[in-house]
Amino acid sequence: LQSHSPCIADFVKGITKRAGFNRVKQQNTAKLIFLNFIVAQGHAVYLSLDNNFKVNMQANPLVVGVDALRTTLNRLVNAGLISRVGGKNLPYGNGISTTINPSPDLYKRLSALTVLFEYPQLVVLRTCGDNKKKVPIDYLDTMRSDTIKYELQRYNSLLAKTKIELRDDTGAKIIETLVNPYLKRMFIDNDEVDSVGRPRFNAGGRLFGPWVSLRSYERPNIWIDGEPTVEEDYEASYVNVMYMAVTGARYVGDPYEMRLSGKVIPRHIVKAVASMAVNNTSKLSAYKAFCADYDKLKQSTDPKKSAHYLDYQQYKLKDQVDPVLDKFLAMHQPIAHLYLQGKELGNKVQCLESDLVFSIVDELTWAGIPCLTVHDSIIISKKHQGLVSGLMDRTTFPDRELVAWLI
């Protein structure tokens, strides 16, 4: 967030002595914190104090680093201006975050300010790597990135006027109001550029809102503008995205339905094996990734995940998983060549999926209908469920060049 409104700069200067700021970086950090309090409208603000945080000018115009953030938070807490809780404390029980809240007096004074916001960087390009290496990088805009920014501005403007709540199972009690009117799409740098050296924005591209952190059984409790919601998703999204790119049509039936030696293979096993084969370069690496994913379920208290772990115990041996992958590829010969190509291709498939989902979001936005996305699914008021289902059936890729780069 950023704002050049004089009132917020004067406000920060006014509390500098009380908070004990002795550097401009601390004042800029306080400004960023206060802008977030204003946007959150009195609700908690969640942030990460990850040591791997890197400064990126496009995504971070105030150039706030994690060291300055820690120091500034400590001084604001000591001055009685904010409260802070660290650790696993999201109200909906998932994710690691530091929670900060303004004191009643601070929020009263902030809410009296008239602040004009500047949109932050809505299209973020990050490095490709593991979690420790995923840092934003600067880039030159293209027609594609400018178009995506324009779409996101309209979408964010609609969400800023939308009430998004997490309620209890009865729907009567509001647990949390989910506030984030500045959603971004996160693309992955794969070193592919156009003729003048600009990124193609053809990898990744997902949009992350606070509702993405919710567990699947919590998301049905999201309400939009006082109405219950439903979550519609693309069935077998990754497989069907590849089929649409290669053949122009979705696969008919369930692509994960399989029998081996007369025995039905659990659908989630087939799906997991196929998913790992998208992002790995060999059957062995795909198998290891499959096992690592399912080993995490051993201690789960979620009944569904526990049942999946029991199924996994029967199918985890290498001589059992390899036949699953072999038969899957034989069943889906039109797209078999796209498997075992590594993360680079998997990231491109993810980008096509993201573009497909956001095409629907954009059409709903033009109609003034707010919705939320969770990867390959759309959360929307129940009264619009039929509309979204129809859009999913007929929407095609908005950028045919991305399809050409994949196949």
Side-chain angles (χ1 to χ4, degrees):
L1 290 176
Q2 171 62 304
S3 172
H4 290 290
S5 297
C7 62
I8 188 66
D10 292 342
F11 185 86
V12 173
K13 289 179 182 178
I15 60 97
T16 291
K17 184 175 181 180
R18 176 179 173 183
F21 299 147
N22 53 22
R23 293 188 178 183
V24 173
K25 281 187 176 180
Q26 294 166 9
Q27 293 179 347
N28 286 341
T29 305
K31 179 180 178 181
L32 179 63
I33 292 170
F34 294 161
L35 290 174
N36 275 274
F37 282 150
I38 293 171
V39 169
Q41 301 174 8
H43 298 284
V45 170
Y46 305 101
L47 52 88
S48 171
L49 295 177
D50 189 342
N51 285 321
N52 296 307
F53 178 88
K54 301 291 182 183
V55 172
N56 163 248
M57 289 301 295
Q58 288 180 318
N60 186 13
L62 286 168
V63 197
V64 172
V66 70
D67 289 337
L69 188 57
R70 284 199 179 100
T71 300
T72 305
L73 287 174
N74 288 337
R75 297 193 178 189
L76 290 172
V77 169
N78 292 337
L81 292 166
I82 71 169
S83 60
R84 177 180 62 184
V85 180
K88 295 183 178 180
N89 54 78
L90 293 180
Y92 27 86
N94 191 26
I96 299 175
S97 166
T98 291
T99 305
I100 57 175
N101 284 280
S103 68
D105 178 64
L106 175 62
Y107 179 66
K108 181 178 179 181
R109 294 165 63 191
L110 287 173
S111 59
L113 301 178
T114 302
V115 177
L116 296 178
F117 287 93
E118 295 180 8
Y119 269 105
Q121 188 69 6
L122 298 177
V123 173
V124 177
L125 185 68
R126 69 160 177 81
T127 54
C128 183
D130 58 29
N131 288 330
K132 294 182 179 179
K133 298 177 182 177
K134 294 178 181 178
V135 295
I137 58 177
D138 292 319
Y139 60 83
L140 296 174
D141 274 308
T142 65
M143 183 179 293
R144 172 166 162 78
S145 65
D146 283 338
T147 299
I148 293 170
K149 288 178 183 179
Y150 175 64
E151 293 170 347
L152 283 167
Q153 285 178 356
R154 287 190 289 102
Y155 179 52
N156 282 323
S157 295
L158 177 61
L159 288 191
K161 299 178 288 187
T162 303
K163 186 179 292 185
I164 306 164
E165 299 166 331
L166 181 70
R167 300 194 179 190
D168 64 8
D169 291 338
T170 69
K173 181 181 178 181
I174 298 174
I175 299 174
E176 177 74 5
T177 298
L178 305 176
V179 180
N180 190 342
Y182 299 111
L183 298 177
K184 311 170 185 180
R185 285 186 67 182
M186 184 78 72
F187 290 86
I188 300 169
D189 181 32
N190 59 4
D191 294 325
E192 293 190 15
V193 296
D194 62 16
S195 59
V196 293
R198 299 174 301 183
R200 294 191 182 278
F201 300 98
N202 64 341
R206 280 182 170 167
L207 186 150
F208 297 93
W211 40 86
V212 174
S213 297
L214 296 175
R215 294 170 180 150
S216 58
Y217 62 82
E218 293 172 309
R219 293 200 294 268
N221 290 347
I222 292 177
W223 287 55
I224 296 178
D225 284 338
E227 296 184 356
T229 61
V230 64
E231 184 169 351
E232 288 285 303
D233 67 341
Y234 274 103
E235 188 71 20
S237 175
Y238 254 41
V239 174
N240 277 312
V241 163
M242 287 188 277
Y243 263 100
M244 289 173 65
V246 174
T247 70
R250 293 183 177 86
Y251 179 78
V252 178
D254 184 354
Y256 300 128
E257 187 176 302
M258 182 186 295
R259 298 180 72 92
L260 270 177
S261 302
K263 182 183 295 185
V264 175
I265 307 298
R267 185 182 189 276
H268 65 91
I269 294 287
V270 181
K271 181 179 179 181
V273 170
S275 297
M276 295 308 169
V278 173
N279 292 300
N280 286 275
T281 56
S282 70
K283 292 179 180 179
L284 180 60
S285 60
Y287 168 69
K288 288 182 177 179
F290 163 79
C291 290
D293 228 32
Y294 272 79
D295 284 339
K296 297 175 185 176
L297 304 182
K298 185 175 183 178
Q299 305 300 326
S300 177
T301 57
D302 184 330
K304 183 177 179 180
K305 290 182 178 179
S306 296
H308 283 186
Y309 181 77
L310 292 177
D311 288 337
Y312 157 67
Q313 289 296 302
Q314 300 179 48
Y315 293 94
K316 71 175 182 177
L317 296 178
K318 184 176 185 298
D319 62 355
Q320 286 293 314
V321 172
D322 273 351
V324 172
L325 179 55
D326 288 341
K327 181 160 185 180
F328 180 85
L329 296 179
M331 288 165 53
H332 301 290
Q333 291 185 13
I335 60 171
H337 64 287
L338 299 178
Y339 284 86
L340 300 175
Q341 299 297 314
K343 285 187 177 180
E344 184 174 329
L345 191 138
N347 289 336
K348 288 184 177 181
V349 174
Q350 182 186 118
C351 191
L352 286 177
E353 176 194 77
S354 300
D355 270 18
L356 201 60
V357 170
F358 205 77
S359 290
I360 296 174
V361 171
D362 192 50
E363 189 158 344
L364 292 170
T365 299
W366 276 113
I369 301 172
C371 67
L372 312 175
T373 68
V374 181
H375 305 324
D376 63 345
S377 67
I378 293 176
I379 299 172
I380 195 162
S381 297
K382 287 184 176 180
K383 66 182 180 182
H384 296 304
Q385 182 176 6
L387 172 62
V388 172
S389 296
L391 288 173
M392 285 183 164
D393 287 340
R394 65 176 182 269
T395 300
T396 58
F397 300 118
D399 192 330
R400 297 304 302 177
E401 284 191 356
L402 259 68
V403 178
W405 292 331
L406 174 67
I407 62 176

